Amino acid sequence: MVGAGVLGLPFAMSQLGWGAGTVAIVGSFGVTVYTLWQMVEMHEMVPGKRFDRYHELGQHAFGERLGLWIIVPQQLIVEVGTDVVYMVTGGQSLKKVHDLLCNGRCKDIRLAFWIMIFAAVQLPLSQFPNFNSISAVSAAAAVMSLTYSMIAFFASAAKGAHAAAAADYALRAPTTAGKVFGVLNALGAIAFAYAGHNVVLEIQATIPSTPEQPSKKPMWRGVVVAYAIVALCYFAVAFAGYYAFGNSVDPNVLISLEKPRWLVAAANLMVAVHVVGSYQVFAMPVFDMMETVLVKKLRFAPSLGLRLVARSAYVLATMFVGMTFPFFDGLLGFFGGFGFAPTTYFIPCIIWMMLKKPKKYGLTWFVNVFCIVIGVLLTLASPVGGMRQIIHDVKSFKFYS
C-alpha cells in the first residue's frame, strides 16, 4: 500500500491548501478503508466459492463478458500506469542520489539515462516466473517504503521547525484556471496513493479458509494493521512536507530536501530499491495476461524465448513512455483519476449494492451512493487536471534532455 505516491502528497497539499488538502487526504482514507472492507467481505460471499481475482468478482456481479470488460481494462490501466510512474520515480531517485553525493563535483547525467539504468535492473528481474520467486525483493521494498517515509517526515519536520515562517501556504498556481486544474490534479494524486484494492483479493486468496474460520477474519486484521501504517506514513509525510516547504515543494518531497545530505541520499536510494520491487508487483499480473493471450489466442508455444521477448518488450515500453513524459506530478494526477479512482472508490460500492442489495435510503445505501458520486467525479475530473499538468510541464521541457 505505501507506494511512491506518498511522496507526492505534500505537492497535492500545495495545490489544495491546509483545509481542503486535509479533508481530501483524510476523507480518501475513510472511503478507501470502507471499500477495502467491502472487498474483503465479498471474497467468499457465495458459499463454497472464492473470488480470487477482482475480475471474477466483477463477472459474478455484471455477468461473464461485461464483468471482464469493466474490470480488466481498469486493472491494466492501474498496473501499466503505476509501472510508468515507478520508472520515472526510480530514475529521479537515482539521479538525486548521484547529485547529492557528487555535490557539484561530477558531470551532470540526464534523467533519461537514469531511467534507462533503472530499466536495466528490471529486465533480469522480470524474467522470474512468478510472485513467490521475488518475495525477498518484495520484503525489502516494504521495509524501504516505511523507512523513507519516516525520513521524509523527520527531515521535513526538522526543516519546518527552522524555516516554517519563510514558507508560503497560498495556493500554488497564480491564476484562477491554474488553481482549478491544480485542485483536480491533486485529487488524482491522492487517489493514486490509496491503491491496495487492485491486489486485495489475490492476497486474500493465499489465506486458508474454513466455514468456522473464514479468510476474511485474518485478512481484515491484516488490513487494519496495514491501514494504521498507511495513516502514520501518509498523514506524517503530507503535513510535514507541506509545513516545511509550503507551495514551493517539489512534486516528489524527497527532491526538495537537501540536508542532512547523507540521510536524504539514503532515503532516495531506498525509494529506488522500493520501486524496483513494486514495479514487479504491478508487472506480474500484466505478464500473466500477456502470456495467456500469446499462448491461448495467438497460439505461440510457451517457452523461455517467448517470456524473454514479451516481458522485455513490456519493460522497454514503460521505460520509453517514462523517458518521454518524466512528469511525476502530472502522471500521478492522470493515472490516479483515470485508473485508481474507479477500482478503489466506486466499483466495490456498485458491486456491493448489486449483490447485497442494502435497504433503499438506509444508511448503508447513502454511504455507498456518496462513495460512488465522489468516485465518478474524481474519474471524470482528475485526468483533466493531470493532463493539463503534463502539457504545462512539456512547455518548458526538451524531450530526452
Side-chain angles (χ1 to χ4, degrees), residues 52 58 75 91 98 104 106 153-154 230 233 277 293-294 312 317 319 335 357 400:
D52 293 342
Q75 282 197 289
H98 170 267
C106 314
F153 165 60
F154 286 115
V230 164
C233 294
V293 168
L294 287 169
S312 300
M319 177 195 81
F335 286 120
K357 297 187 169 47
Y400 312 114

Side-chain angles (χ1 to χ4, degrees), residues 15 171-185 385 388:
Q15 292 176 310
L171 288 188
R172 189 177 192 91
T175 64
T176 306
K179 286 186 173 79
V180 171
F181 285 114
V183 166
L184 301 182
N185 185 54
R388 183 188 179 273

Side-chain angles (χ1 to χ4, degrees), residues 142-225:
V143 173
M144 294 294 162
S145 64
L146 293 179
T147 314
Y148 71 63
S149 295
M150 288 300 98
I151 291 174
F153 165 60
F154 286 115
S156 294
K159 177 170 172 51
H162 287 296
D168 179 4
Y169 300 115
L171 288 188
R172 189 177 192 91
T175 64
T176 306
K179 286 186 173 79
V180 171
F181 285 114
V183 166
L184 301 182
N185 185 54
L187 293 173
I190 292 168
F192 189 97
Y194 291 102
H197 298 57
N198 286 283
V199 289
V200 68
L201 295 178
E202 282 88 340
I203 295 168
Q204 194 168 346
T206 65
I207 297 175
S209 186
T210 62
E212 300 76 45
Q213 185 65 27
S215 64
K216 67 182 182 183
K217 288 183 179 173
M219 184 66 191
W220 179 244
R221 283 200 295 272
V223 169
V224 169
V225 172

